[in-house]
Amino acid sequence: LAIADGKKNIVLVVFDGMDWDTTYMTSLFVNGEVAYESGRGQGLSFQDYRGVETDFGYFVTSPRLAKVTTDVNSQTVLGGDAPATGGYDPDRGGRTPWDRPPQRDYLIGLDRSMPHAVTDSASSATSMTTGIKTYNGSINFDVAGNRVETIAHQLQRDRGFAIGVVTTVPISHATAAAAYAHNVYRDDYQDITRDLIGLPSISHRNDPLPGVDVLIGCGWGEEKWADAKQGANFVPGREFYDPSDLMRVSLESGGRYVVTQRTPGEVGSDVLMAAAARAVHEQARLLAVFGAADGHLPFATADGNYNPTIDGSGGKSYRPADISENPTLADMTLAALAVLSNNPNGFWLMVEAGDVDWANHANNVDNSIGAAIGGDAALRKLLDWIDQHGLWDDTAVIVTADHGHYFVLRDPKAVADAGRMTRQAGPGAH
């Protein structure tokens, strides 16, 4: 619809795992008061922005199948036995995201009278980028085992759009992968990276994809020496990409990418922006890999610090270098825009705040709010950039989440009070 309306720039902002309740919790913290109890709400950029006509709605990301067996070596779907639903029953799950569901078990797939497949990020992101319902774990494959074209593929081929992918989590994780790659299974990380940067992969042995123009994310330094999930062509050394692949596509090796990464002793935002400036100057693509432990950006807490408490996934601690040597999602977004906007035909960009999902999986409210605030800061930079360049006639921004965690906030006032007290204590207070 945006293309039909004449838009040349399309930006899809995905807050991974951020359902209505997580949004509500974050806005309570930001507002410092219980300002609303339903609907669009207020306090975050995507709730408050009125510089252009905006709309609010919601959609269903339920998969068609939940449990499917695949073979990454042959890139085939072997079958599955989960119910082929792909739909949603509002009488059981609630008619709006803020409704308390009449039947709680339905939303978490435990209602045996009407089984409901609970989505993962791969299936839901594939639905967003291709328009189909598919199985959990799919990266742009349908349930019959066929590769499906994404909107990024179409715009790149038919309209000459530049394509960008930006994420706070590993570059080949599910949501970023579904922007462009093809794989029957989301954990075949190295091959997914090959698709993203235009190299032959297990899914595109003889017909490699052209590759994206900008890929900025994480996964730096994460070692892996054996991984059956990635198939027979897994290269021991790094989990999310093969370093030799990054070298192959670099300008220095005759490739098309300015390749940069987290550099000891260097400020991450400076490293990234210098690489973006070089890509613009040399009319090249940009590939940047950063990250801290577990391959993602450092987890920010609600107060703006980076000292998360122990949670369901264990404890996280960061050295000062982990903070200084990594950019923020806002930095990544601006770098991507600097490169992509040089294409006169337009661009399609995905920006993912993936750490919201990781925080909610760990039941860590502090990290969840911090991640949502970080994603909102990136969105604010995007909106400012569009305003400053007067590009709203040519640009559409879609802000969404791919799924939720059935998080239920029982005491909204407690979160609002915590936000107000944090603000009164000053920046960085804990």
Side-chain angles (χ1 to χ4, degrees), residues 3-37:
I3 296 298
D5 194 41
K7 303 300 184 185
K8 291 178 58 180
N9 309 315
I10 312 295
V11 186
L12 174 63
V13 182
V14 181
F15 286 76
D16 196 311
M18 185 162 145
D19 47 21
W20 185 89
D21 291 279
T22 304
T23 306
Y24 180 53
M25 174 179 66
T26 306
S27 65
L28 291 171
F29 187 88
V30 171
N31 287 327
E33 62 176 336
V34 182
Y36 69 99
E37 296 180 348

Side-chain angles (χ1 to χ4, degrees), residues 393-418:
D393 287 344
D394 294 328
T395 305
V397 177
I398 302 161
V399 183
T400 189
D402 54 353
H403 63 83
H405 287 263
Y406 196 54
F407 170 79
V408 177
L409 182 61
R410 294 180 176 175
D411 190 356
K413 186 175 182 299
V415 176
D417 289 345

Side-chain angles (χ1 to χ4, degrees), residues 88-107:
Y88 175 78
D89 184 355
D91 290 331
R92 293 171 183 261
R95 296 192 171 275
T96 70
W98 49 89
D99 281 349
R100 292 292 171 248
Q103 299 189 34
R104 180 189 68 88
D105 286 351
Y106 173 72
L107 285 181

Side-chain angles (χ1 to χ4, degrees), residues 137-203:
S138 166
I139 301 298
N140 299 320
F141 267 76
D142 64 21
V143 294
N146 302 305
R147 296 185 313 210
V148 183
E149 206 172 40
T150 71
I151 187 173
H153 298 141
Q154 296 169 19
L155 294 175
Q156 184 181 52
R157 182 193 63 229
D158 299 339
R159 295 178 178 266
F161 270 41
I163 306 300
V165 180
V166 172
T167 180
T168 61
V169 299
I171 54 176
S172 46
H173 241 246
T175 306
Y180 194 81
H182 285 116
N183 205 285
V184 295
Y185 186 50
R186 59 179 288 174
D187 286 357
D188 191 9
Y189 298 121
Q190 291 183 354
D191 275 311
I192 287 170
T193 296
R194 293 181 185 112
D195 277 354
L196 288 166
I197 58 178
L199 292 176
S201 70
I202 195 67
S203 187

